[in-house]
Amino acid sequence: MFTFTAPDGTALACHVRGSGPPLVCLPGGPMRASEYLGDLGGLTAHRTLHLLDLRGTGESAVPADEATYRCDRQVEDVEALRVRLGLERMDVLAHSAGGNLAAQYAARRPERIGRLVLVTSAQRALGCAASAQERRDAAALRSHEPWFAAAYAEYEKLLAGRDDATYLYDAFFYGRWDERAQAHAARTDAQTNEGAEAVFASEGAFDPPATRAALARLDAPALLLAGELDGGPNPELVRRTAEFYPRGQVVVQPGAAHYPWLDDPESFVGVVEGFLAAES
């Protein structure tokens, strides 16, 4: 791990794992420590992962101004990391809500992106949020699972905005609700800055028309990876999102949900590394 300084003086942490060409990784949550990304299914065998702890998460410091947790205000943190790494252009992988930060960075500095990988990312920054019905439809695909009835009851509470939903609904975010998935889900609260999470997408964070227009200048190839069983986003929403990336391509990972590197590591690494290693 190393630390560097954001433009506002906040000390940020970046964890380094693996070997090979660098890949900057932006976590989701939103505002979940990068620890949950692990080795991205073994992608460390091919890439040196630079996993950024967003401000106020993991080993990064809490900023003096909590308003800087807002997504658009963290774009310069990503740029500071690029400068610290000494990269003219960098490959970026972002998961879930982290895709909003990646999209805004690419819109603001398209010339700094080499290749962009967006993993199961519903991008509110582009006006592409997952609807409650899309989430319900995806959940219905799991109706044969033995845990479905109990988990779906809690999922409906979550979708209704109730605060009494239990974490049984986490099962819908994993292609296999096995011991590994349950252990991964159990660490969510400890890894998430809930106060920062509330600010991340607050008023003013996103300007979809402006971001869409700016992304039209992005010449970098973009891979948008969807999970077949994911509801937020489902594959169709990922396809609609890809239309805003001039060189966007979509891959749907069979049997995967929101964390595809856990559901089928070999498939995930094969797709992502194949894309990163391809000639332009």
Side-chain angles (χ1 to χ4, degrees):
M1 187 191 82
F2 64 85
T3 60
F4 63 102
T5 305
D8 69 348
T10 304
L12 302 177
C14 182
H15 302 266
V16 183
R17 297 176 185 155
S19 59
L23 178 64
V24 170
C25 301
L26 306 179
M31 303 306 293
R32 186 173 177 181
S34 66
E35 177 186 18
Y36 84 96
L37 295 172
D39 66 356
L40 285 172
L43 192 56
T44 45
H46 308 275
R47 299 279 152 173
T48 300
L49 306 184
H50 295 276
L51 301 122
L52 176 63
D53 279 340
L54 304 183
R55 52 182 52 222
T57 71
E59 300 298 322
S60 288
V62 172
D65 181 4
E66 292 189 354
T68 62
Y69 288 136
R70 208 174 72 177
C71 181
D72 60 315
R73 298 189 64 179
Q74 295 190 63
V75 170
E76 294 309 309
D77 294 352
V78 181
E79 173 63 2
L81 177 56
R82 181 195 67 80
V83 173
R84 170 64 175 77
L85 293 173
L87 299 173
E88 184 69 20
R89 295 163 69 93
M90 60 183 179
D91 293 339
V92 176
L93 180 149
H95 174 242
S96 191
N100 294 287
L101 180 55
Q104 290 185 315
Y105 179 83
R108 195 176 299 181
R109 287 190 168 82
E111 74 283 358
R112 299 304 187 186
I113 298 290
R115 285 178 174 263
L116 180 61
V117 180
L118 301 170
V119 179
T120 58
S121 179
Q123 300 200 322
R124 294 178 62 183
L126 298 176
C128 298
S131 70
Q133 190 57 50
E134 287 172 332
R135 293 179 183 275
R136 290 187 179 98
D137 291 344
L141 298 174
R142 317 296 295 279
S143 61
H144 62 285
E145 301 277 6
W147 45 260
F148 176 82
Y152 191 78
E154 299 307 313
Y155 199 38
E156 278 291 355
K157 293 179 186 178
L158 176 71
L159 295 176
R162 292 170 53 176
D163 58 8
D164 61 339
T166 70
Y167 288 123
L168 286 174
Y169 61 73
D170 276 335
F172 293 112
F173 294 92
Y174 298 86
R176 296 192 312 274
W177 189 230
D178 53 17
E179 289 185 4
R180 182 181 184 186
Q182 291 172 40
H184 187 264
R187 295 191 290 270
T188 302
D189 281 354
Q191 294 169 341
T192 302
N193 181 331
E194 293 185 359
E197 180 182 23
V199 178
F200 182 83
S202 58
E203 185 176 359
F206 307 130
D207 183 349
T211 304
R212 290 173 175 178
L215 280 178
R217 300 179 292 125
L218 181 66
D219 187 50
L223 169 67
L224 290 84
L225 194 152
E228 179 188 22
L229 304 176
D230 196 12
N234 66 14
E236 180 54 35
L237 180 56
V238 173
R239 293 186 184 98
R240 297 201 302 270
T241 305
E243 295 176 3
F244 299 112
Y245 291 88
R247 299 180 63 189
Q249 63 184 79
V250 176
V251 172
V252 179
Q253 183 171 316
H258 202 60
Y259 302 95
W261 65 91
L262 293 177
D263 297 327
D264 186 343
E266 183 176 357
S267 176
F268 176 82
V269 171
V271 168
V272 173
E273 176 54 20
F275 169 78
L276 292 173
E279 295 184 7
S280 297

